[in-house]
Amino acid sequence: MGGNREGHEYPDPEDAPRYAWAGPKALATSLNANDNYLNDVDMITPDEFGSYDDSQNERTIFDQDRRGDPNGEIIDPDFQYRDDSDKTDDEELISEADSDFEAPTPAINLDDPSKIPQGGRGSRGRGRGRGRGRGRGRGRGGLGLDSVTPRRRGRPRGQGRGGKGIKRGVRKPVDPSPEFKSLHSQATLAFIEEDYDAAEEIAKQAIRCNPEIFTAYSLLSEIHMARGDKSRAMHALFNGAHTRPRDTVLWSKVAKLIMEIAGDDRTSAYPDAIYCYNRVIGSEPGHIEARYERAALHREFGNERRAAYDYVRLFRLLPHDTTVLRNLAEVYIEIGEGARAIEYYETSIAHFQSLQPSNVTAFTWSDLNIYAELFMYSTEPEAIAKGISKIKSVCRWLLNREEDQFWDHCTHDDREFDAMDDPRRRLVPEFTTNKHDVTLYGDGLPLELRARLGLLRLELGEDHFEEAVRHFEWLAPETTGPGGRLHDYPDLFGEIAEALRLCGLPHEALRFYEPLQQIEEYADLAFFRNMGSCYHALELYNEAEDCFRIIMENDEDNIEILLKLATMFENSDMPKRAEPYVEKIIALKRARVSQKRATRPRALAAASIKIQMPSTSAAQPAMLDPMAGRKPDTRPRTLKRVREAKLEEEIQLLYREFLILKQQIEDGESEARAEWMGLAKTLIDEFKKKKTFYPAGGERHRKYNGYKLKSKVQNDGEEMDTMTGRLQELLDDVQEETNHVAVEYCNIAFDLWLDIFLEYAVVLAIGGDKSQAYETIISATEAKVFHDSKDFMFLIHITWSICALAAEDDETLCGVARYFMKEFQFVTDSYRLFSTLNRLCNRQNVWYNNGPTQKYLLRQVKAVDFSLMSEERRKTFYEERASYSTKDAAGNPIRALEMDIALLMTYGHILYTGGSHSFALNYFYRAYALDPSNPMINLSLALGYLHVAIKRQSENRQYMIMQGFSFLFTYYDLRKHSIFSIERQECEFNVGRAYHMLGLIHLAIPYYERCLQLSEVVQRDGGQGAAEDYSLEAAFTLQGHWAASGEVELAQKVTARWLVL
């Protein structure tokens, strides 16, 4: 239409095709009639201007055939949006300038933020595919933006394969027309005179005149900004930015404006801002600020891996930048991969140590403290020991003692950082007294780093406990007055106390717990529980009682605390005071066993906790360390009981916080979502570690009969057995009660455990992590406690279908639906559910009528037929027995009592959608024999006959058409008298569509017109259950017919009445 043009500039907008009835006059009328400039400006997107075709190298105008990518996005010849931050740094990091970075041109809508296009990855491999219609430029896959690449063999630069040479590169800016210059000047003058209404209208006319010139959009944005309407200003600027796809300053400005306008609703603005930053990075991969901003947004909204990708790229753009390192460390810690951050830190540390400390200002003690903290997330003793040596080496470098490398051989302790040379430092032969000032040893090490070294020593085991305590002594925990360090380092006190308690050192832990009571924000329920456990382990029962009673005031049904209190009173020769606690324990245990799961209060724990629980320590899997709260005991059985008791204690704490965060999310606190996800994953991982739930080998096929609470019963029983004979009868009741098969794990019912699995899977699926969601669900199905329960498996597969719908995974949907048809064979709702799930899937569903699905439904039909025949006829007509998949309580197969119409229609529609219309009619007729007045059956028969009639090899086309219309008008009569207006409109449209399909458009028009007439009634009667309105489909069909017939006025009338939104 436009032919080949020199360069890559836009053609004249007047060359773009338009409908005859939507000319400039009509558009001008729209501009005057509608004040909403979102729909005022008839924007011509670059794909309407044209693009090169790879095969013919001819100019192609994208008009009615809005070609684009498979996801339905309109393609701009210059860009195809791709967010590269979903790659990990394990992948090859390819510069965007060399990776065919493109971005799509969005549909233009300046007022509605929801209409701003949101990016998506391309569909080819790692997103490196070319947009449709873009020239090859630099050979295979090149953008052709520069002229620096070497020439390909045998072809001049810029020449596409098989065609004449065409200049490639960035499009030249279009010269503004005289009309545009005049309008722009008028709009500017009106703006200066503060006549904003006139300025806005003239600016719109300028945009319509030359929509590819940015200055008009900029002026329109300034007009709205002067009015104080930042939202419309941003939309205008966003729209205009697409005329300058490589203007990084402009796109950055738009991104910041989007987030500024968002206010509290930052979640909805997040994709739009990311889209803008992707534009910036696509044009300039080394844009530092854009990568920082994009990483910060990804991290804010829980996409830590994408944030990590950007920080890795920033690390390569800004080698050894400590700000990047800190952010990278924080992100990797959040995703549980702290060891990966250590690699980047070590690279930078090696660089800094090659320099003199006086010449290095970027790397400080704070950076070293972060580096040391990363080793706290390591589980390998070798890695921790190596980390301690590396930390001490960097400390020497920061203290200007880097030449004292002999200290690297002193790995069993940290005497290098003692306060004085005597007694330990002098014992090292290479050490020279007075070579360095004494303050460059012990006093030179910051307390935060010293505490970190002590904590790492604790991780290495009992042989290093003494060295760890030496470090902790520098905090002087006994000094709590004004000169003490408690108020300066309360976080270190809490962290050290918890670590000592978990290592089985309650006496040392109490030295840090006791002063910490003065800090109100640290004195929560977990604090008193841990401190009480230390007192209990040391047999200081009065102090432990005080701590436990504080907990009881907030959590009266805590069995663990009740049991400890009862045991303490008995050991203190006060059995009468112990008796009420034992009775309460028995009552609680009986109530938990007998209570129905359906009536169990789900938020009991969250409601009972009034004090906020700690989040940082409880959220880490490492805190499930079994060593805590008792004197060190090397007996295997005792250690096992300690581990099990500690594990249950930590899991209960995590679950309580899990419920609190869940309630916060339900209350609209989106920032709690990331921590909730981490807790859910931790709880699931702990559940999966229980070998009883995931047996190996032949045990998998045995029916689950529960597990005995042996460890818990023995632990509780041994503590209770020390009580006097007056309580023995009550203790026997407790033993008898707890010998029943367990219905809970760690005092959390199995149905609540299942809720954790399923809720976590749904959130993952909605977030786009389909594989992880499926993995979570599969792990639930493999657990014996869930697998052998029909109720649990039903819930699991319902959730599985929800995840598949969220992921638009039609294959999984069909697989899940088959489970319901198998487990609930001959149940009508199972077949309806199969059809519903496939109908709800937005993708083109190829699994609905594929071979395996079709064969499975046919076997279901045969099973029903086999069930309904007499025994004699079964032997006569069937050579094989039908398989039954459901059985009653006695183990006998359940047979069908009657033919299922839903099953026949489902199988018929599978054949119908596969093109086997004549075979589908057989099953439609069987359903028709059972229910001849069913409108859906009559419509299906009608369409089946009509599709057979229009096939090329139809033998008696006239007969098929007449037969089809006989059923169609039966359907029409049934629907025509319906009390629901939507059903009356439906039959009008379907009959009209049937005539239209046969080319009898003159017969279809009256039905389409009646369909339009019923639209107002349908909208008014929406409360009757109307699900949709067919007026748009009918109007679109009439518009196309009138336009093709030359009836422009009628087409314009239909368009204006029904199709203009």
Side-chain angles (χ1 to χ4, degrees):
M1 188 168 184
N4 290 331
R5 298 179 182 268
E6 285 293 319
H8 199 48
E9 69 275 10
Y10 290 107
D12 190 342
E14 295 299 326
D15 292 340
R18 299 172 182 268
Y19 285 109
W21 61 86
K25 182 178 180 181
L27 187 57
T29 303
S30 175
L31 281 171
N32 294 329
N34 189 357
D35 187 52
N36 187 345
Y37 70 94
L38 277 170
N39 301 315
D40 294 347
V41 184
D42 185 15
M43 298 304 299
I44 303 173
T45 53
D47 57 316
E48 293 176 304
F49 297 143
S51 178
Y52 290 106
D53 185 280
D54 285 334
S55 59
Q56 300 178 1
N57 283 319
E58 294 181 355
R59 197 70 167 171
T60 302
I61 299 297
F62 290 175
D63 45 8
Q64 296 146 351
D65 181 18
R66 305 281 290 178
R67 292 180 288 176
D69 68 352
N71 296 325
E73 294 178 350
I74 300 171
I75 297 302
D76 180 282
D78 282 340
F79 285 90
Q80 177 180 346
Y81 162 76
R82 185 184 81 245
D83 182 357
D84 62 352
S85 61
D86 58 349
K87 293 187 289 187
T88 63
D89 55 338
D90 291 335
E91 302 182 42
E92 179 185 2
L93 294 176
I94 302 175
S95 173
E96 287 91 343
D98 298 327
S99 63
D100 287 352
F101 182 90
E102 301 170 336
T105 299
I108 294 178
N109 195 332
L110 299 179
D111 270 350
D112 187 357
S114 66
K115 301 300 183 183
I116 296 178
Q118 300 176 11
R121 289 182 62 90
S123 59
R124 291 190 177 187
R126 293 164 55 191
R128 300 183 61 188
R130 294 179 286 109
R132 185 187 294 271
R134 184 175 59 79
R136 294 186 182 273
R138 300 188 301 171
R140 289 190 180 95
L143 278 172
L145 299 178
D146 308 303
S147 301
V148 296
T149 52
R151 296 184 180 181
R152 300 289 182 181
R153 293 182 296 173
R155 289 204 301 275
R157 188 190 312 265
Q159 178 173 326
R161 183 174 300 185
K164 297 181 180 180
I166 301 175
K167 291 183 180 179
R168 307 293 184 186
V170 180
R171 290 175 174 148
K172 297 178 182 178
V174 179
D175 294 332
S177 65
E179 181 183 1
F180 176 86
K181 293 180 180 178
S182 175
L183 291 171
H184 188 269
S185 298
Q186 296 176 38
T188 304
L189 182 60
F191 174 65
I192 293 173
E193 296 176 352
E194 298 185 0
D195 187 357
Y196 299 134
D197 293 338
E200 178 184 357
E201 291 300 324
I202 300 173
K204 292 177 186 178
Q205 296 178 33
I207 292 174
R208 175 176 174 270
C209 180
N210 280 98
E212 68 278 10
I213 297 179
F214 171 72
T215 53
Y217 296 95
S218 178
L219 177 58
L220 187 60
S221 176
E222 292 296 331
I223 293 170
H224 290 306
M225 190 65 75
R227 288 171 166 170
D229 191 346
K230 291 186 178 181
S231 179
R232 298 185 75 184
M234 180 272 294
H235 296 148
L237 198 63
F238 177 87
N239 222 14
H242 289 87
T243 65
R244 293 187 176 181
R246 299 186 182 278
D247 190 336
T248 58
V249 176
L250 176 60
W251 281 105
S252 296
K253 180 180 178 182
V254 174
K256 294 177 181 177
L257 194 56
I258 287 173
M259 297 309 296
E260 178 184 347
I261 294 172
D264 295 334
D265 190 19
R266 293 175 63 84
T267 302
S268 61
Y270 161 63
D272 305 329
I274 292 297
Y275 173 85
C276 295
Y277 285 124
N278 288 337
R279 285 279 194 168
V280 177
I281 294 171
S283 300
E284 187 180 336
H287 199 289
I288 304 300
E289 182 184 1
R291 286 203 178 271
Y292 263 120
E293 295 293 339
R294 190 172 76 170
L297 284 176
H298 280 319
R299 188 176 174 190
E300 178 183 351
F301 293 97
N303 291 327
E304 287 85 2
R305 290 195 178 276
R306 292 193 170 192
Y309 170 82
D310 273 327
Y311 287 130
V312 169
R313 294 299 299 267
L314 283 168
F315 180 79
R316 299 183 183 185
L317 292 170
L318 303 172
H320 318 305
D321 185 278
T322 54
T323 302
V324 176
L325 283 172
R326 292 175 186 177
N327 285 298
L328 194 59
E330 293 173 0
V331 170
Y332 274 131
I333 288 174
E334 289 172 3
I335 62 178
E337 299 178 6
R340 301 185 65 178
I342 293 176
E343 301 173 6
Y344 294 100
Y345 262 94
E346 290 180 345
T347 301
S348 296
I349 287 174
H351 165 73
F352 289 129
Q353 284 188 304
S354 65
L355 308 174
Q356 289 295 326
S358 58
N359 298 329
V360 177
T361 58
F363 193 87
T364 63
W365 289 105
S366 297
D367 299 297
L368 180 57
N369 190 46
I370 296 173
Y371 173 66
E373 186 178 355
L374 292 173
F375 288 98
M376 297 297 297
Y377 299 92
S378 178
T379 57
E380 297 295 332
E382 295 80 5
I384 296 175
K386 180 181 176 182
I388 292 175
S389 297
K390 188 65 177 178
I391 293 167
K392 294 194 294 185
S393 173
V394 179
C395 287
R396 285 195 299 274
W397 173 74
L398 288 172
L399 292 169
N400 291 303
R401 293 192 294 105
E402 63 273 11
E403 70 277 7
D404 293 349
Q405 297 183 6
F406 59 87
W407 290 112
D408 291 335
H409 304 292
C410 186
T411 59
H412 57 283
D413 59 35
D414 303 324
R415 65 181 66 188
E416 175 186 0
F417 295 102
D418 285 354
M420 305 299 294
D421 294 341
D422 293 322
R424 298 196 303 170
R425 204 158 43 225
R426 290 183 183 274
L427 299 179
V428 179
E430 297 86 350
F431 173 71
T432 303
T433 307
N434 298 327
K435 180 180 179 181
H436 298 288
D437 189 87
V438 69
T439 58
L440 297 181
Y441 292 96
D443 293 334
L445 189 65
L447 282 177
E448 296 94 335
L449 202 56
R450 184 178 291 280
R452 199 67 58 199
L453 284 173
L455 293 172
L456 290 174
R457 288 290 179 184
L458 288 180
E459 295 291 332
L460 293 178
E462 296 182 5
D463 294 340
H464 297 263
F465 284 176
E466 182 179 354
E467 190 66 27
V469 173
R470 283 179 178 267
H471 285 297
F472 300 150
E473 290 290 346
W474 283 74
L475 287 171
E478 285 77 13
T479 305
T480 59
R485 290 167 173 166
L486 170 65
H487 295 280
D488 295 330
Y489 304 99
D491 54 333
L492 292 182
F493 273 72
E495 194 171 353
I496 292 171
E498 181 68 7
L500 290 170
R501 184 183 69 86
L502 293 175
C503 290
L505 301 173
H507 177 72
E508 297 295 337
L510 285 173
R511 295 178 61 202
F512 293 88
Y513 272 130
E514 289 176 344
L516 198 58
Q517 297 179 76
Q518 304 176 25
I519 310 299
E520 183 178 353
E521 56 266 28
Y522 286 88
D524 54 17
L525 293 187
F527 171 83
F528 287 108
R529 175 182 58 82
N530 295 336
M531 187 166 65
S533 298
C534 293
Y535 283 129
H536 191 192
L538 296 174
E539 298 182 358
L540 300 174
Y541 297 124
N542 292 331
E543 292 80 356
E545 179 186 356
D546 295 336
C547 294
F548 292 149
R549 281 185 172 177
I550 294 175
I551 300 175
M552 291 298 299
E553 292 175 359
N554 294 276
D555 188 4
E556 296 180 354
D557 296 336
N558 192 315
I559 293 181
E560 175 195 4
I561 302 302
L562 288 170
L563 180 57
K564 288 184 177 181
L565 284 170
T567 305
M568 285 192 303
F569 284 128
E570 184 63 27
N571 292 339
S572 302
D573 296 328
M574 293 184 290
K576 290 185 177 180
R577 295 186 61 183
E579 186 175 7
Y581 293 107
V582 176
E583 292 176 348
K584 189 168 185 178
I585 292 172
I586 296 170
L588 287 173
K589 286 183 174 291
R590 286 175 174 170
R592 290 188 178 185
V593 173
S594 60
Q595 187 178 23
K596 295 182 179 179
R597 288 193 294 263
T599 59
R600 182 184 179 94
R602 299 302 180 96
L604 178 61
S608 62
I609 301 298
K610 304 300 182 182
I611 302 178
Q612 183 179 1
M613 307 298 286
S615 57
T616 54
S617 61
Q620 300 298 333
M623 296 309 295
L624 298 177
D625 193 324
M627 298 290 294
R630 298 180 183 276
K631 295 179 180 180
D633 192 338
T634 58
R635 292 179 298 170
R637 294 179 62 85
T638 303
L639 289 177
K640 181 179 180 181
R641 289 196 302 271
V642 171
R643 293 189 185 100
E644 291 172 347
K646 177 58 185 171
L647 177 64
E648 178 176 335
E649 177 183 327
E650 293 293 343
I651 287 178
Q652 289 176 4
L653 178 63
L654 290 178
Y655 182 66
R656 291 190 182 104
E657 187 174 359
F658 172 86
L659 291 176
I660 294 173
L661 292 172
K662 179 181 177 182
Q663 186 62 46
Q664 292 176 358
I665 295 173
E666 292 174 353
D667 293 340
E669 299 181 21
S670 58
E671 62 274 6
R673 177 178 175 275
E675 190 173 359
W676 179 87
M677 292 282 288
L679 284 177
K681 187 178 187 305
T682 302
L683 288 169
I684 290 172
D685 291 341
E686 291 302 322
F687 185 87
K688 289 163 65 175
K689 291 178 183 178
K690 185 69 174 177
K691 294 182 179 179
T692 308
F693 300 153
Y694 294 89
E699 295 292 331
R700 295 180 180 177
H701 306 289
R702 296 183 181 179
K703 182 175 178 59
Y704 174 74
N705 293 318
Y707 73 100
K708 306 295 184 181
L709 292 177
K710 292 182 179 179
S711 61
K712 181 67 177 175
V713 170
Q714 291 174 1
N715 188 25
D716 293 353
E718 289 177 3
E719 294 186 21
M720 290 185 180
D721 284 342
T722 60
M723 297 188 178
T724 61
R726 293 183 301 99
L727 301 177
Q728 189 60 49
E729 183 178 353
L730 294 176
L731 292 176
D732 293 340
D733 292 339
V734 172
Q735 185 72 25
E736 178 182 357
E737 195 71 40
T738 55
N739 276 334
H740 288 283
V741 175
V743 294
E744 58 187 24
Y745 173 56
C746 293
N747 286 329
I748 303 174
F750 288 140
D751 60 334
L752 300 181
W753 278 108
L754 182 60
D755 287 346
I756 298 174
F757 276 85
L758 302 186
E759 291 171 2
Y760 182 65
V762 170
V763 174
L764 287 173
I766 294 175
D769 196 347
K770 178 179 70 173
S771 59
Q772 188 66 30
Y774 289 170
E775 181 180 341
T776 302
I777 293 178
I778 291 173
S779 64
T781 62
E782 292 175 349
K784 294 295 290 181
V785 293
F786 303 143
H787 182 273
D788 294 337
S789 170
K790 288 186 176 181
D791 293 339
F792 287 159
M793 291 299 289
F794 179 84
L795 291 175
I796 290 172
H797 282 82
I798 286 291
T799 306
W800 205 337
S801 65
I802 294 173
C803 295
L805 283 174
E808 297 183 1
D809 185 356
D810 54 339
E811 179 181 1
T812 302
L813 274 177
C814 287
V816 173
R818 285 183 61 170
Y819 165 83
F820 292 108
M821 291 188 289
K822 177 183 176 182
E823 294 298 322
F824 302 94
Q825 194 178 28
F826 311 137
V827 177
T828 301
D829 286 343
S830 64
Y831 307 118
R832 290 176 176 170
L833 181 61
F834 170 78
S835 300
T836 302
L837 291 176
N838 282 278
R839 175 64 182 85
L840 291 174
C841 186
N842 293 326
R843 292 183 55 189
Q844 183 179 0
N845 201 325
V846 298
W847 285 88
Y848 174 69
N849 59 353
N850 71 340
T853 304
Q854 180 178 337
K855 292 176 182 178
Y856 181 81
L857 266 295
L858 179 59
R859 289 198 297 270
Q860 295 290 306
V861 174
K862 289 183 177 180
V864 177
D865 291 338
F866 189 85
S867 299
L868 299 179
M869 287 187 176
S870 62
E871 190 67 29
E872 182 178 353
R873 295 192 65 187
R874 289 177 191 158
K875 296 178 181 178
T876 303
F877 294 101
Y878 283 80
E879 297 180 359
E880 299 179 359
R881 290 183 56 85
S883 60
Y884 300 105
S885 57
T886 56
K887 297 181 180 180
D888 57 20
N892 300 318
I894 299 176
R895 296 178 178 177
L897 301 179
E898 59 182 359
M899 178 54 68
D900 197 312
I901 297 177
L903 173 60
L904 293 173
M905 293 299 293
T906 300
Y907 184 64
H909 282 112
I910 288 176
L911 295 174
Y912 178 89
T913 55
S916 302
H917 304 102
S918 57
F919 293 104
L921 287 173
N922 295 328
Y923 296 91
F924 292 155
Y925 263 120
R926 292 184 63 180
Y928 178 79
L930 296 172
D931 189 2
S933 60
N934 189 303
M936 188 63 208
I937 296 175
N938 282 275
L939 178 61
S940 300
L941 281 166
L943 293 178
Y945 272 113
L946 292 178
H947 279 88
V948 172
I950 62 179
K951 285 187 175 181
R952 181 174 58 85
Q953 296 179 343
S954 179
E955 295 181 357
N956 194 338
R957 197 181 311 275
Q958 183 68 18
Y959 169 78
M960 295 293 180
I961 292 175
M962 296 304 295
Q963 191 74 11
F965 270 97
S966 67
F967 285 109
L968 185 63
F969 281 113
T970 302
Y971 154 78
Y972 182 80
D973 292 338
L974 292 170
R975 282 290 200 224
K976 185 67 176 177
H977 300 92
S978 173
I979 62 174
F980 298 110
S981 56
I982 181 61
E983 295 182 354
R984 298 197 299 271
Q985 187 193 41
E986 171 202 303
C987 70
E988 299 290 351
F989 178 80
N990 283 336
V991 175
R993 187 66 186 86
Y995 277 125
H996 195 173
M997 181 175 63
L998 297 177
L1000 303 175
I1001 187 62
H1002 64 288
L1003 298 177
I1005 290 174
Y1007 291 96
Y1008 284 143
E1009 291 177 343
R1010 285 195 291 270
C1011 177
L1012 294 177
Q1013 293 171 6
L1014 285 168
S1015 176
E1016 294 182 0
V1017 181
V1018 170
Q1019 295 298 328
R1020 186 176 65 248
D1021 299 342
Q1024 297 180 4
E1028 54 187 319
D1029 186 356
Y1030 295 92
S1031 59
L1032 291 179
E1033 290 84 353
F1036 182 78
T1037 305
L1038 285 175
Q1039 177 211 59
H1041 168 66
W1042 295 131
S1045 302
E1047 298 290 343
V1048 177
E1049 293 183 1
L1050 290 175
Q1052 187 176 10
K1053 182 178 178 181
V1054 171
T1055 303
R1057 171 66 180 85
W1058 298 101
L1059 300 180
V1060 176
L1061 301 179

